């Protein structure tokens, strides 16, 4: 895993926690979020995780439009209702032999 490039696509609460712990373990992780203010805060202040622990971890964050290169593993944590815009972007940044791990929440209303 040390040489794998990892993205956490959807850096809200759970995505930020996952990204923080992967970064803390020394892995090459980029948190991706559409909210520029969140990206800026993560880059300047790090990811602050509070609960059974209280840690702040320096992380790298980017918006989808500013992603540089491709990733070996992408953890997907966006809501499924955004798949129409998220999936094409993921296809463009996931290595051909890469792995997509879906940890999405929410059920699309269209299936009901």
């Amino acid at each position: 895993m040390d040489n794998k490039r990892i993205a956490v696509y959807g850096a809200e609460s759970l995505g930020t926690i996952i990204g923080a712990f992967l970064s803390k373990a020394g892995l090459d992780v980029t948190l991706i979020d559409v909210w520029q203010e969140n990206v800026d805060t993560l880059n300047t202040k790090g990811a602050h995780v509070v609960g059974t622990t209280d840690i702040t971890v320096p992380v790298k964050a980017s918006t989808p439009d500013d992603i540089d290169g491709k990733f070996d593993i992408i953890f997907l944590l966006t809501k499924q209702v955004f798949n129409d815009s998220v999936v094409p972007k993921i296809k463009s940044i996931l290595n051909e032999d890469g792995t997509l791990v879906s940890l999405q929440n929410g059920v699309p209303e269209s299936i009901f």
Side-chain angles (χ1 to χ4, degrees), residues 17-88:
I17 292 167
I18 291 169
F21 280 104
L22 291 172
S23 295
K24 187 174 187 273
L27 300 175
D28 181 9
V29 180
T30 301
L31 285 78
I32 302 169
D33 197 67
V34 296
W35 187 24
Q36 184 68 55
E37 185 178 347
N38 189 37
V39 169
D40 293 343
T41 299
L42 288 168
N43 283 323
T44 58
K45 296 183 178 180
H48 186 194
V49 179
V50 179
T52 58
T53 187
D54 187 347
I55 59 170
T56 300
V57 180
V59 295
K60 292 184 293 186
S62 176
T63 64
D65 294 334
D66 293 328
I67 295 170
D68 182 31
K70 295 194 176 236
F71 296 90
D72 301 297
I73 302 168
I74 298 176
F75 291 94
L76 177 60
L77 286 111
T78 59
K79 288 183 174 55
Q80 293 178 3
V81 296
F82 299 120
N83 280 356
D84 287 346
S85 61
V86 170
V87 170

Side-chain angles (χ1 to χ4, degrees), residues 73-110:
I73 302 168
I74 298 176
F75 291 94
L76 177 60
L77 286 111
T78 59
K79 288 183 174 55
Q80 293 178 3
V81 296
F82 299 120
N83 280 356
D84 287 346
S85 61
V86 170
V87 170
K89 185 62 180 180
I90 286 174
K91 286 182 177 180
S92 73
I93 64 171
L94 182 63
N95 281 328
E96 188 174 310
D97 62 345
T99 301
L100 175 63
V101 180
S102 177
L103 301 170
Q104 291 184 299
N105 60 22
V107 177
E109 293 83 9
S110 62

